[in-house]
């Protein structure tokens, strides 16, 4: 009897932690988890299995059948995929991280069409975009993906035969960096020496690396970035300074994101 309140406290902390984690990762998962534990009590037989089954069912229904029709009420919509644009991983769609404003959706469509005209068959591959609801709601671990106007794109790579491909070096699309060459300015070293320890922590978020021999394509990425920069609605584009130099790009929209963010030599960030 003395231990009962203690275990109850631990149970509450456990459920709160799961709720917080699911909310940070998916925005709606925490609410669905709370609904699940309210509907399936621990006293019921096989309650763990029942909770897992009910949560999976409710989450799938919400993600694929409900949220896409409710999100437009909040000014956001799913990224429209096609033969020219796709998510790097199904995880981004399952976690509801594929929502943008209609204007950004339109910009992505135009970028993908223009890229296909110059490099036929090469797709615009997106990573994290935004959650479907509530302006200002943070998309962990990003600092600014909170208004539907930001999206990350994967770089373009070539294979060992020097051909452009849609393959990427990591499962998440993040964390495999295109390091500065000896003669290039090393912003990464500058930021880390200033105490910004988080600057390259994306190396731990790869979810595994691919075994293919892939090389950062200067021409492919230069074309992709030029296509993005040509969009009138695009306000800022973030990449590392050494890649800007390597691709010989100069544009007032092309910015350095600051040391408080993470390094951007594994992906492109742009925003309206």
């Amino acid at each position: 009897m003395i231990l009962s309140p203690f275990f109850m406290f631990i149970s509450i902390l456990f459920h709160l932690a799961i709720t917080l984690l699911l909310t940070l990762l998916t925005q709606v998962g925490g609410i669905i988890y709370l609904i699940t534990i309210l509907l399936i009590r621990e006293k019921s037989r096989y309650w763990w299995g029942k909770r897992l089954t009910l949560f999976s069912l409710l989450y799938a229904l919400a993600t694929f059948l409900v949220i896409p029709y409710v999100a437009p009420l909040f000014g956001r919509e799913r990224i429209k995929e096609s033969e020219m644009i796709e998510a790097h991983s199904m995880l981004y769609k399952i976690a509801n991280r594929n929502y943008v404003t209609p204007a950004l959706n339109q910009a992505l469509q135009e970028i993908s069409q223009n890229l296909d005209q110059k490099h036929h068959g090469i797709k615009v591959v997106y990573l994290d975009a935004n959650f479907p609801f509530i302006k200002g709601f943070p998309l962990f671990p990003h600092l600014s993906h909170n208004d539907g106007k930001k999206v990350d794109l994967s770089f373009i790579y070539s294979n060992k035969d020097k051909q452009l491909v849609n393959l990427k070096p990591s499962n998440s699309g993040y964390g495999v960096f295109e390091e500065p060459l000896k003669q290039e300015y090393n912003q990464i070293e500058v930021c880390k020496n200033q105490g910004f320890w988080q600057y390259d922590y994306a190396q731990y978020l790869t979810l595994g690396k691919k075994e293919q021999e892939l090389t950062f394509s200067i021409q492919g990425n230069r074309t992709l970035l030029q296509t993005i920069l040509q969009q009138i609605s695009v306000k800022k584009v973030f990449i590392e300074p050494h890649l800007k130099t390597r691709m010989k790009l100069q544009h007032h929209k092309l910015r350095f994101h600051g040391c408080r963010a993470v390094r951007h030599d594994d992906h492109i960030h742009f925003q309206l």
Side-chain angles (χ1 to χ4, degrees), residues 75-128:
R76 302 184 192 182
E77 58 189 28
R78 283 189 299 188
I79 293 176
K80 298 174 184 176
E81 297 195 11
S82 66
E83 293 182 354
M84 295 174 285
I85 181 168
E86 66 179 11
H88 175 56
S89 170
M90 186 68 180
L91 288 175
Y92 294 109
K93 296 189 282 187
I94 292 175
N96 297 300
R97 291 169 170 253
N98 60 329
Y99 283 81
V100 293
T101 61
L104 180 48
N105 219 345
Q106 180 60 35
L108 284 168
Q109 305 310 309
E110 294 177 8
I111 290 167
S112 66
Q113 292 167 12
N114 292 337
L115 179 65
D116 186 70
Q117 290 175 1
K118 297 175 182 177
H119 298 294
H120 183 65
I122 299 303
K123 302 177 181 180
V124 168
V125 177
Y126 69 87
L127 308 172
D128 272 332

Side-chain angles (χ1 to χ4, degrees), residues 197-215:
W197 57 268
Q198 88 296 337
Y199 200 65
D200 63 356
Y201 85 98
Q203 64 185 302
Y204 305 111
L205 303 178
T206 63
L207 301 181
K209 298 179 182 180
K210 302 294 180 73
E211 296 181 1
Q212 294 94 341
E213 184 179 327
L214 299 175
T215 304

Side-chain angles (χ1 to χ4, degrees), residues 135-195:
K135 185 176 181 179
F137 192 99
L139 185 91
F140 180 81
H142 300 274
L143 297 177
S144 64
H145 289 233
N146 58 12
D147 59 3
K149 298 180 180 180
K150 283 93 174 179
V151 65
D152 288 344
L153 301 184
S154 177
F155 283 133
I156 296 173
Y157 297 86
S158 57
N159 60 20
K160 60 182 179 180
D161 298 320
K162 309 300 181 183
Q163 296 176 326
L164 297 185
V165 293
N166 289 310
L167 299 173
K168 310 301 174 185
S170 78
N171 290 324
S172 69
Y174 294 102
V176 176
F177 305 122
E178 184 61 24
E179 301 285 351
L181 302 176
K182 288 184 178 180
Q183 69 272 22
E184 294 175 336
Y185 179 69
N186 195 329
Q187 183 66 59
I188 296 91
E189 185 177 313
V190 171
C191 287
K192 294 186 71 174
N193 287 340
Q194 291 178 0

